């Protein structure tokens, strides 16, 4: 898998070319299965630290 990014619509094709070129030279990753799907994720509670909210930064 290759990766490239851009903030410019004019450079999308260049970013795609970079990603494809990178993907071609990388070795296969046996642990990679697929991109994430649109699934449901569990709600997690009890992890927010109020000190971070009140830190003033």
């Amino acid at each position: 898998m290759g990766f490239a990014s851009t903030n410019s619509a004019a450079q999308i094709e260049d970013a795609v070319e970079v990603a494809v070129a990178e993907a071609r030279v990388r070795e296969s990753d046996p642990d990679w299965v697929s991109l994430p799907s649109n699934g449901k994720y569990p709600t997690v509670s009890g992890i927010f630290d109020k000190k971070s909210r009140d830190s003033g930064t």
Side-chain angles (χ1 to χ4, degrees), residues 34-45:
S34 70
L35 294 171
S37 64
N38 290 336
K40 293 191 178 216
Y41 299 95
T43 301
V44 180
S45 61

Side-chain angles (χ1 to χ4, degrees), residues 1-3 22-23 26-37:
M1 174 179 278
F3 175 82
E22 185 177 307
R26 286 188 178 230
E27 293 183 18
S28 172
D29 182 352
D31 296 323
W32 190 81
V33 179
S34 70
L35 294 171
S37 64

Side-chain angles (χ1 to χ4, degrees), residues 8-33:
S8 169
Q11 295 179 336
I12 290 175
E13 288 186 26
D14 292 336
V16 170
E17 289 177 12
V18 168
V20 169
E22 185 177 307
R24 287 187 174 145
V25 297
R26 286 188 178 230
E27 293 183 18
S28 172
D29 182 352
D31 296 323
W32 190 81
V33 179

